Amino acid sequence: MTPVLSVRDLSVRFRMRGGRHVAAVGGVDFDLAAGECLALVGESGCGKSVLASALLGLLPGNAQTAGTAVLTGPGDGPGAGVDLLAADERTLARTVRGRRVGLVPQSPAAHLTPVRTVRAQLEEALRELTGTPRAELRAAAVAAAGRASFPAGLLDHHPHELSGGQAQRAATALALVGNAPLLLADEPTTGLDRDLVERTVDELRRHADEGRALLLITHDLAAAERIADRVAVMYAGRIVETAAADRFFGAAGPRHPYARGLLAALPERDFTPVPGMPPELGALPEGCAFAARCDRRTDACRVLPRLTDGVACHHAAPDGAAPAGVGSAGVGPAGVGSAGVGPSGTAPEDAAPADAVPDDIAAEETTRA
Amino acid sequence: MLELASLTAGYDRRDPVFRDVSLTIAPGEAVGLLGPSGCGKSTLARVATLLHRPDAGRVTVDGHPVRGWRHRAPRELRTAIGVVFQQPRLSADPRLRLRDLIAEPLRATGRRAEAAGRVAELAHRVGLTDDLLSRRPHEVSDGQLQRACLARALVLRPRWLVCDEMTAMLDASTTAALVAAVEEYRREHGAGLLAVGHDRVLLDRWCDRTVHWASLTGAPAPAPAAEADATAGAGV
Amino acid sequence: MAEPAWRSPGDTRRSTRAVRVSVSAVIVAAVVLAVLLVPPLVRLDQQAVDLALKLRPPSPAHPFGTDDVGRDLLLRCVYGLRVSLLVGLVAALVATVIGTAVGAAAAAFGGWADRLLMRLVDTFSSVPHLLLGIFVVAMFRPGVWPVIVSVALTHWLSTARIVRSEVLSLRSRPYVDAAIAGGASRWRVTVRHLLPAVLPQAGLAAVLMVPHAMWHESALSFLGLGLPAHQASLGNLVQTARGSLLAGDWWPTLFPGLFLIVPTLAIAGLAGAWRERLNPRRRSELML
Amino acid sequence: SNPGSPGGPAAEDGVVVGIAYEPDSLSPLLGYGKDGNSKIFDGLLAFDADMELKPALAVALPEVSADGLTYTYELRQGVNFSDGKPFTAADVVFTYRTILDEKTNNPSKTELDALKDVKAVGDHTVVFTLKYPYAPFAERTVLGIAPQHVAAKQDVNSGPFTTRPVGTGPYVLTGWSKGEKISFRANPDYWGGAPEVKKFTMAIIKDDDVRATRLRSGDLDGAVLPPNLAKGFKGDKTKKTYEATSYDYRLVTLPTHHEVTGDTAIRRALDVAVDRRTMVDKILEGAGKPAYGPVPTDSEWFTKGTERAHDLDRAKRILDDAGWKPGPDGVRVKDGVRAAFPLWYPSGDKLRQDHALAYASDAKKAGIAITTQAGTWEVIEPRMKHDAVLAGGGSPGDPDFDQYLLLKSTLGGDGFNNMAWYDNPVVDKALEDGRRTDDKAARKAAYDTVQRELVKNPGYTFLTHIDHLYVVNDSWEGLSTQVEPHDHGLAAGPWWNIENWVPKK
Amino acid sequence: MTAKQAGRRLPWGAMARMTGRRALAAVPVLLLVTFAVFAVAAASPFDPVKAYAGTAGLTASQENLDQLRANLGVDRPLVPRWWDWLTSALTGDLGDSSVMRQPVADVIGERIGWSVLLAATAFTVAVLLGTALGVLAARRRGGWLDRCVSSAAYTLEAAPAFWLGLLAIWFFALELGVLPAGGLTDTASETVTFGQVASHLVLPALVLGVSQLPWFFLYVRQGVADALDEDPVRGARARGLSERTVLLGHALRSGMLPMLTLIGSRVPELITGALLVESVFSWPGIAAATVQAATSVDFPLLAALTVLATAAVLLGNLLSDLLYGLADPRVGFDG
Ligand SMILES: Nc1ncnc2c1ncn2[C@@H]1O[C@H](COP(=O)(O)OP(=O)(O)OP(=O)(O)O)[C@@H](O)[C@H]1O
Ligand SMILES: Nc1ncnc2c1ncn2[C@@H]1O[C@H](COP(=O)(O)OP(=O)(O)OP(=O)(O)O)[C@@H](O)[C@H]1O
Ligand SMILES: [Mg+2]
Ligand SMILES: [Mg+2]
């Protein structure tokens, strides 16, 4: 089975004044199968949102992209997918956005049109994406709002009259309308209380379970643990580790020192930040970008580590080692069982064309579905 | 003492968001406020920062009862309270570079000279590099913008801090770093803190005491969460 | 690792924009130079006519031809540009400054100040522009300054209302709240946060005012209230050329028309570039 | 014409003409049609093509008493107003008395200044009594007669009669859409016979260029046009251009009270320095004549031999002889006075502007510096005593009309009369002589004196007499033009006698 | 729940209150404007008697002119004259127009309908065409459509209406011969029919509309272009809405505030434009009478016309304030 989305060597950089560049995303590879939920975590500013924007062709005019991101539909044969990075605006607007790739934007309040009510925007999206007849729009809008726990009574509010969490739910409701086979959810749980977080992520999980792929960009590790099948950790524009969620959150813990630091920073654990500051993306160091903050740094770190076996580190903790300082398994509420999902990162050197997906992943996806 | 006494506030006089809410924060105290989404926490924060006139009730800052709101509040009172809003994208002037964004309160209060030094110091504290400081809000990530907003809140050395879901969009490490920055500031200046959030664990760890919204109000207002429940049930 | 093959969706716009901006800048510079340098060097006797040379088509002696009383059109165009540009720019500037100030003040202060100022605007706009213009000009001797005053006094109103409506929409934005919380005074908020956001609208109004003021100048001259009709101004030149055009003589219309429109478009081009700089997102997209 | 098919008037028997001027009122009581040709009304008398008086509502020219103070008119019988009511002497008396009434806002009642009273004698005779003998009085009685039974019941100044008049004339008003057009229908019961042109419409088009364009598009059958636009129809076979000669002159006033223009040498030098011929050829496109006085050169009242040729050298000589010596900047100076003065022209009037500029340019060659200035009459009027003005005027008919008002010293500064404050006792006397007598030879001698004096001391520089140009579709016969006055409104043009037009075979 | 959430209809209450406040404020504005017009007209150098007399005044005697001055009542001081006008106007008597030799009510009654027809059509053309072109141009900023129309807009702004009128007549009536060149009906026609008026309306309305278009076009273009760069449009695009919906439903909706404002504040310009267009096209409307009334200092007519113009302006401003209160809920109905 071909993955819904297959990203190879995706890079994004911003051209800045004076000929400088900000390398927001560098050489990202991953596959995302139908029914799978990949949680993308990482420190703020590491390029998660830019990655999502790139997949929708919504980058600003001074951005440049490289690599491929092939979106394959259920009916498409191998090699027939759309390369999201190369597709023209027309294709993206007419067939991809909303219909095949949905987005829950970060800062939802800023992404809602301020002069129109939530209902107007919801009904409009329903009409355009699902062709709901006019007479049924009202009911459909209430139902769509309900999916994201958006209170029906607030449908007639304008975005600026919503609380942060309500705006978030409105945005989620809008993103779910199209029932797109691939959903990019960029921090879909900010501003929500624990109940709502769970309800929202469960809805997302249900969405994925119906055979769609979900890329969950989040800082909320508890939420990620609850629904993710796999976790990808991003640092300074690169994916530094991918792991099955149960292993990542389980006793073994992540292998990359940065990922371990990230987990350790949780309030329920050490509550201490990873020391130091992330590097400036405008002037990335030659070798491992994390080296400057890493307590295992050696000379080997002057060379950029490749993502091998799901981790890009010269000193990765051995598979199965318990994360430092954490005894308990899982964060927050008990994780959702996600048996049968293994590591599925692809090393760049065998950056295969989109259709050539390693067999083991395909097999696993089948089990999951 | 930051006293919010039997406040009623909202956006429609006939139907306020909350009624009769009281909360007192002692100098140097850190209070966490938990509550369901949409219950009025941000509204309360806006009242506490003198940006929203309550329909009824009293706000007292360090013994001064507040009579005017927004521009009509005395500048000393306004600047005594630093605020970080829930939505950094909306609360940053899109035309200002982060550097100016942070320095703006200093300039507005006529303390231009201090700006350069203070910005550099705070930027370091909240983890903003020089490169980021020279960008405008749309050129940075939401988390980076939130850091700038925190720096802006601290720049006038307020005696009170109101952080409305400051860390909602931050990863664990950055959260920890910013909380540490706030705590360091509070240690130095003895400032009181009202931290609004959803994450009980975080607030418990961060604050001296955590109060739940329901305990603030005498008669519990119809909780939007309940209504959300109803629709959620109906919708799915 | 090899440098990846970068794709950039928004590349082409930048280069044409640079061309556009520099062409505009060159034209504006040329116009300013011509207007400043030519008159001191070549004197024009505004009232000298030579009926024998009536309506000669362009020739080496008269590159723009002559008009219906035998005056050289090139020199008159340059002199006319000087007057018209003065009228256009000064009137536009004055009108925009007044309009922006009144509009911003009304919206920023709100309440009674707003109502009072807006009723003032209503009052002013109630008297049709041309009428007020006629009255103002009629009270003075015809000339440049009465025209400027009459145009400026009647044209700040649109700007004021546009600026006000934009400021009204902006003033409840959270970032204004943030500024207030940061101790900013009303004035500071207006000048630092609200005005920059409405400058593009005000700038557009200003640019539109330039050609518009020129036509008011010609309309007033036509009614006998502006500049004396024998004095070269672009409005006067175009106005008097009408009859010749119907008779098939194109040059008395074409050249003053070009003199009127080309600088206007160049100014508009520069103003457009300036507005792009004011928009933070465009600015970074274009890497300005 | 129809929107889809411009190119011909809609009705075979209809005529549409474009005019630049719209009357304020159609009531003769307020001055409409005071010079005849009002279409809706008839006067007691009317002018023919040669501006000779002929009877209209009167059966014959009036009987004038020997002392010149009583005019008796015998009225035509059987004439009805277009509403069917008969026309009688009472209507004549009503009309003239109402005009003279001080409550009536008729600004041209000065023209009837000589009139003391008017009486009806029976139904068909009226008698006018004058305050003083006034030779041209009969020419004032061309003004239209209003029906007493309609107009007497209304406010004379603003009643409906001012816009929906009823008269005895060849045409009946069918509509007046202000700013758009005035339409007439032939009066089938007209006492002079029903006109052949059944429908007559005057479209009001203020803009010359628009009028020319609409004429070309076939929307109009005829129009009044300025010379440069009329030229454009020269090649059009279907249209004919009529040049109406006129008394319409353009002149420059040379105020007596200005130290330069009051100087006779300057006046005489300017009189020969100016190139009238070129002005006619270039500014008027040939449609006009050089003017040497208010009387056109082809009028019987013109004094032959008073033409002044363009002669720059002579002008310089005159100035040299008088002591005006060229200064360093080329401008002549005498006794510390520079030969310089301002010349005003009314703004918006292109013709006068061109005249003024050409005049100033000619003067400059002789060493006189004239500064042209434009202004509205409100600006110019207070300055007329000292500053030169490019003025115009001219009424056909009696030579007294123009010359008295223009040259009589006692009228200096009286409104727009004698704008130059011209003061010449010889001229004054001749003017009085001319108006007090009815004897043609004596009058001719008097006006010859005036014109010769104007050569010796020209208080005005007369520049041109202007032909009025009308372009008309060549599908009717019987078209002619009258000699026209300065002010050519509705009554002028080839359609002055449209009731006599007949279709071309 | 409560009324607040029972569905949001138009905020009639707030709109009515605003309308009421404006109606109240209109009284002093009207008083002020009429008085100002009387004062300015009296201070102007124009002389009503000279204007009334016209060319006849050139030869009229002083005595005659003085009599006229007394009859017209223009020799009285300013304040009582204004007061008399005001009190009789309140009782419904607008006085007599001296230039038109008619009661003012008749002058206005005969013409206003045609003026309103012309102005309303032209304004609709300007608003709709300006908005449509503005949206299209903003969509491809720097594209050929944008450049052509923008240049044309600046050019139009420099082109007096009488020039445009002449060009339009030349092209449509003379060269193409498809539209009548002027008047309300065919010049030879005596009756006013719908078809005729419609075909005669096209050119003047088009010229007037096009002369008003640049502001609408450029402001819509700018508003939409700015909105297209903003996050809400990005959000709408991400949702997969069609280009049309994004442009009209989001970019235009956010960026049209200045355009709505213009609906009110362009009314004076519209009146000025109508003044010239009516005279070029021999349109029997009221605007053309305005200049005449002004330069002849015809007080009753001038005052009545000013009241009309003021009412038009106030209504226009009220309308645009109401509209933008509706279009942007953050503005509200205050003021
Ligand atoms: N338009 C831009 N121009 C230049 N740099 C940009 C631009 N947009 C984003 N960046 C930079 O790209 C990097 C990645 O930004 P991105 O928004 O993807 O971060 P993120 O991982 O989503 O962070 P957060 O968790 O804070 O949202 C950041 O360092 C940011 O400063
Ligand atoms: N400008 C406004 N006009 C009308 N209603 C508003 C406005 N702003 C907020 N509300 C309503 O007031 C209520 C409280 O909003 P508030 O922002 O205070 O909630 P909150 O507790 O901060 O929620 P969250 O945790 O989601 O941020 C919400 O129901 C919201 O819909
Ligand atoms: Mg992000
Ligand atoms: Mg909140």
Side-chain angles (χ1 to χ4, degrees), chain B residues 98-199:
Chain B
L98 297 197
R99 176 173 285 117
D100 301 316
L101 192 78
I102 299 173
E104 184 57 25
L106 281 176
R107 302 208 175 114
T109 50
R111 286 147 65 185
R112 206 166 276 278
E114 298 169 42
R118 193 89 183 110
V119 169
E121 179 203 330
L122 281 169
H124 179 73
R125 221 178 245 210
V126 300
L128 287 173
T129 58
D130 228 30
D131 178 42
L132 290 173
L133 282 179
S134 64
R135 295 204 209 149
R136 294 197 170 73
H138 67 274
E139 294 171 322
V140 300
S141 80
D142 295 49
Q144 291 164 336
L145 192 55
Q146 189 63 301
R147 297 182 210 210
C149 289
L150 173 62
R152 173 175 67 180
L154 296 179
V155 77
L156 288 177
R157 298 200 175 82
R159 290 190 302 280
W160 303 97
L161 259 180
V162 176
C163 299
D164 189 358
E165 313 208 19
M166 179 179 84
T167 59
M169 60 196 35
L170 299 178
D171 60 284
S173 167
T174 314
T175 302
L178 289 197
V179 167
V182 170
E183 285 308 304
E184 185 187 327
Y185 172 81
R186 294 204 315 119
R187 257 198 317 283
E188 284 167 20
H189 296 90
L193 167 75
L194 174 63
V196 177
H198 290 297
D199 191 339

Side-chain angles (χ1 to χ4, degrees), chain E residues 21-80:
Chain E
R21 271 200 307 277
R22 289 299 181 82
L24 277 185
V27 175
V29 169
L30 279 174
L31 287 182
L32 195 66
V33 168
T34 50
F35 185 76
V37 163
F38 268 76
V40 172
S44 77
F46 300 113
D47 179 2
V49 175
K50 288 254 166 51
Y52 182 90
T55 44
L58 296 180
T59 51
S61 67
Q62 198 56 48
E63 184 196 353
N64 189 351
L65 293 178
D66 290 345
Q67 182 65 50
L68 263 179
R69 191 173 298 276
N71 285 358
L72 293 176
V74 288
D75 50 349
R76 298 192 308 136
L78 169 69
V79 176

Side-chain angles (χ1 to χ4, degrees), chain C residues 165-188:
Chain C
S165 72
E166 285 288 297
V167 169
L168 276 184
S169 154
L170 289 168
R171 70 172 182 184
S172 57
R173 302 266 161 110
Y175 69 79
V176 174
D177 285 358
I180 297 174
S185 61
R186 222 182 261 275
W187 166 253
R188 176 93 189 166

Side-chain angles (χ1 to χ4, degrees), chain D residues 24 178, chain E residues 97-102 107 111 289 292 298 301:
Chain D
D24 297 318
K178 282 204 177 130
Chain E
S97 155
S98 60
V99 275
M100 300 290 162
R101 312 320 194 232
Q102 246 184 321
V107 176
R111 299 161 169 234
Q292 214 184 342
D298 183 349
L301 182 57

Side-chain angles (χ1 to χ4, degrees), chain D residues 46-65:
Chain D
F47 289 114
D48 67 7
D50 304 320
M51 294 304 283
E52 297 293 341
L53 286 172
K54 62 177 187 189
L57 286 179
V59 288
L61 296 184
E63 273 171 40
V64 187
S65 66

Side-chain angles (χ1 to χ4, degrees), chain A residues 162-166 191, chain B residues 36-43 45 86-87 164-165 196 198:
Chain A
L162 298 176
S163 78
Q166 289 161 349
Chain B
S37 167
C39 66
K41 302 182 298 296
S42 300
T43 310
Q86 187 171 3
Q87 309 193 346
D164 189 358
E165 313 208 19
V196 177
H198 290 297

Side-chain angles (χ1 to χ4, degrees), chain E residues 65 116 129 316:
Chain E
L65 293 178
V116 170
L129 201 63

